[in-house]
Amino acid sequence: QVRLVESGGGLVQAGGSLRLSCAASGRTFSTYAMGWFRQAPGKERVFVASINWSGRTSYYADSVKGRFTISRDNTKNTVYLQMNSLEPEDTAIYYCAASISYSTRLNEYDYWGQGTQVTVSS
C-alpha cells in the first residue's frame, strides 16, 4: 500500500514557475515508477510525465516537453514536478500516481494522490 500526498500547487502568472511535490508513505516507494497526470475542468485526466524507479528514465507529454521536469528522491520518498514557462492551458488539478510498471497509461497506475490545484492566469 502506498499513500500519496501532493503539495505545491497555487496561482501563478503565465510565464511563471511552480514546483509540485508528492510525498509517499511506505518503505517500497523506490520500487514504483511514478507519474504526474492532470485534469482540466470538463476534461479527462491525462498523462503529463513519468519517471522510472531509479530516476534515470523519464518521459513527457508533448505539451509539456522542454518546460516540465520530473524527478525523484528515493531517500525522501518524494517525486517532484518542476513546471516552468507556465501557460493558462496548464491550469488543472495535478495528481501524482504510483505504478509497478513504467507507463504513460492512466489505468496502469495503482495508487493516486488527492490532487493539487494549479491555476495559471494570463
Side-chain angles (χ1 to χ4, degrees), residues 38 47-49 60-69 90 94:
R38 67 186 182 186
F47 170 79
V48 173
Y60 299 90
D62 287 344
S63 58
V64 306
K65 201 172 294 182
R67 299 188 299 122
F68 291 11
T69 303
D90 296 317
Y94 283 72

Side-chain angles (χ1 to χ4, degrees), residues 3-85:
R3 181 171 178 265
L4 304 172
V5 179
E6 301 98 335
S7 61
L11 174 64
V12 64
Q13 289 188 333
S17 298
L18 282 174
R19 188 175 83 152
L20 306 183
S21 298
C22 174
S25 64
R27 288 175 283 181
T28 60
F29 172 77
S30 62
T31 66
Y32 285 89
M34 299 297 296
W36 286 96
F37 295 78
R38 67 186 182 186
Q39 187 166 16
K43 296 188 177 181
E44 294 184 348
R45 194 173 300 187
V46 298
F47 170 79
V48 173
S50 61
I51 191 165
N52 76 331
W53 68 272
S54 69
R56 292 195 183 103
T57 304
S58 57
Y59 189 78
Y60 299 90
D62 287 344
S63 58
V64 306
K65 201 172 294 182
R67 299 188 299 122
F68 291 11
T69 303
I70 188 171
S71 62
R72 67 189 297 163
D73 184 341
N74 287 343
T75 66
K76 296 182 178 179
N77 280 12
T78 302
V79 63
Y80 305 97
L81 186 68
Q82 177 67 43
M83 306 186 295
N84 298 329
S85 302

